[in-house]
Amino acid sequence: MSTQTADAPVMSSAAASAAPVITGIGVAAPNGLGTEAWWSAVLRGESGIRPLTRFDAAPYPAKLAGEVQGFDAAEHLPGRLLPQTDQVTRLALTAADEALADAGVDPAQLPDYAAGVITASSAGGYEFGQRELQALWSKGGQYVSAYQSFAWFYAVNSGQISIRNGMRGPNSVLVSEQAGGLDAVAQARRQLRKGIRLVVTGGMDSSLCPWGWAAHLASGELSTAEDAERAYLPFSAEAGGHVVGEGGALLVLEDAAAARERGARPYGEVAGYAATFDPPPGSGAPSRLRDAAALALREAGLAPADVDVVFADAAGRREADRAEAEALAEIFGAYGVPVTAPKTMTGRLAAGGASLDLAAALLSLRDGVIPPTVHAGPPAADCPVDLVTEVRRPARLRTALVLARGRGGFNAAMVVRGR
């Protein structure tokens, strides 16, 4: 993790201890650019997983991905930014603009150092880096862009969002793969407790280029199915890996008192969070995902019966799915709580995945509906979860639990509550 923090105005301890609220959402996803376009597609069960078009995937065993469709960066960003940014940063800047507008916040009107940016990233500007390395190999160092010095970096999204919006408060990045989207929000929450008023946070990733694809394939966890409807089947007896996607969600996390003072209408509050790390591979010890979930509920002051829906990590691999299902059964009982994984419509988005699930959880609370887990079908007998499949499920929702696991042993859990 790389962190740079500036001095911040101090707020009262009562304000700092209140649960922070999410007042803005910005989304870039394979099945929708913009929050409401994406959410409408999710509720329709519309998938964005398709054959790769960013490069020729024919020589590779995995050929499907979730690409953000119809995104023209020139329509969203000034021309001066285009030569210095990778696809992932362009998506992040666009989502940040949407989140701030949704929250009704103009950072220029805030005091200096009152607003910060804390994001998660797993790959940085991979596609930009590949292009410059190709120039180096084929033409020579004089053809490598000076922007390569930062465009590839994990922290570039945080930096560019901060510069574009004049947000001079805490600025950092977290690198914990799929768990990063929750870990970044938790880090933002810590800054609010120190007196910061507002943080743009969440995760965004994009590495759909041959260099990035080689890294994804090296994990051994990608589905090689060529039928988009059968490629990513979490909790299914036929699960055979996941599909990679790009995108994510950025959120405006705000001190509750500051949000109330300016008349904001929050989507919900971050009531609890916890992170754990798995034992070493081969140790025989179980995953600590269950512990993360239990600790998050404890911090929120909730019992398992208070949770209305779980947004699952949904790895799409038999062993990992069984482990998650067992963790849920231990906490809630077999089939004890509705479980969903709308990421089957986007693929796993690395650092962007959990923050997109967090956005989905907040919109579910707002609209009283649980989005579907498309194509997965009934769960396997050894995965005793009440999986919401194919059709969205109306429900009275107050509290949601979001789970995420990052490659390498990261676990994160976050509880959000409606306002």
Side-chain angles (χ1 to χ4, degrees):
M1 180 179 72
S2 171
T3 306
Q4 181 179 348
T5 304
D7 291 337
V10 176
M11 301 180 71
S12 71
S13 59
S17 62
V21 294
I22 294 169
T23 56
I25 300 175
V27 168
N31 56 343
L33 180 63
T35 301
E36 294 303 333
W38 158 74
W39 184 235
S40 294
V42 168
L43 294 182
R44 292 194 303 269
E46 183 178 307
S47 176
I49 295 175
R50 299 176 175 88
L52 265 164
T53 63
R54 198 74 56 77
F55 63 93
D56 181 10
Y60 300 91
K63 299 175 175 61
L64 299 175
E67 297 174 313
V68 176
Q69 304 292 314
F71 177 65
D72 182 351
E75 295 178 359
H76 300 274
L77 303 171
R80 63 178 177 77
L81 282 175
L82 302 185
Q84 59 181 280
T85 51
D86 178 83
Q87 167 85 348
V88 68
T89 304
R90 296 169 181 177
L91 293 172
L93 287 165
T94 302
D97 285 351
E98 183 189 13
L100 288 166
D102 185 37
V105 170
D106 179 1
Q109 301 303 312
L110 297 175
D112 277 352
Y113 311 113
V117 184
I118 299 174
T119 67
S121 175
S122 300
Y126 240 61
E127 191 171 7
F128 193 107
Q130 175 179 313
R131 184 173 65 247
E132 300 310 314
L133 286 172
Q134 286 176 313
L136 174 66
W137 296 333
S138 62
K139 299 178 181 179
Q142 67 271 32
Y143 292 94
V144 176
S145 169
Y147 296 127
Q148 168 65 4
S149 61
F150 61 80
W152 70 272
F153 189 40
Y154 302 98
V156 68
N157 295 344
S158 291
Q160 290 281 23
I161 293 168
S162 176
I163 293 167
R164 176 165 167 77
N165 295 284
M167 302 173 76
R168 301 170 63 193
N171 188 284
S172 64
V173 63
L174 285 93
V175 184
S176 50
E177 215 257 340
Q178 189 87 9
L182 299 184
D183 293 338
V185 176
Q187 177 69 1
R189 185 178 67 160
R190 294 186 187 102
Q191 295 301 331
L192 294 182
R193 288 172 174 171
K194 294 177 182 179
I196 296 298
R197 290 176 58 170
L198 177 152
V199 182
V200 172
T201 187
M204 193 72 63
D205 255 318
S206 175
S207 51
L208 302 183
C209 60
W211 188 23
W213 208 242
H216 290 301
L217 288 168
S219 72
E221 298 176 358
L222 264 62
S223 169
T224 57
E226 297 189 21
D227 180 351
E229 294 190 1
R230 306 304 301 161
Y232 182 21
L233 306 171
F235 301 110
S236 168
E238 300 175 40
H242 70 268
V243 175
V244 173
E246 66 176 351
L250 293 180
L251 316 167
V252 174
L253 187 72
E254 199 166 349
D255 172 78
R260 186 166 53 250
E261 180 182 329
R262 68 179 186 84
R265 298 183 62 183
Y267 287 94
E269 66 182 26
V270 176
Y273 160 83
T276 59
F277 199 75
D278 284 343
S283 67
S287 165
R288 297 196 63 210
L289 178 66
R290 178 200 174 280
D291 295 338
L295 289 168
L297 288 173
R298 181 186 302 175
E299 188 194 29
L302 298 173
D306 296 319
V307 175
D308 300 308
V309 60
V310 173
F311 285 75
D313 174 70
R317 291 175 288 112
R318 292 290 289 122
E319 183 179 354
D321 288 345
R322 278 196 298 270
E324 183 171 21
E326 289 169 4
L328 291 172
E330 288 177 15
I331 295 173
F332 300 102
Y335 308 101
V337 64
V339 174
T340 188
K343 58 173 64 72
T344 56
M345 292 175 260
T346 63
R348 290 178 70 83
L349 309 184
S355 58
L356 191 64
D357 277 348
L358 195 60
L362 291 163
L363 294 172
S364 290
L365 298 179
R366 182 193 72 179
D367 294 346
V369 62
I370 302 173
T373 307
V374 301
H375 308 316
D382 56 4
C383 293
V385 294
D386 176 16
L387 193 64
V388 178
T389 59
E390 301 308 334
V391 179
R392 63 187 184 183
R393 182 186 297 180
R396 296 183 63 182
L397 304 175
R398 171 67 176 163
T399 302
L401 172 66
V402 181
L403 301 179
R405 292 174 291 187
R407 191 177 304 160
F410 298 98
N411 301 302
M414 185 163 282
V415 177
V416 289
R417 197 158 37 201
R419 296 282 290 187

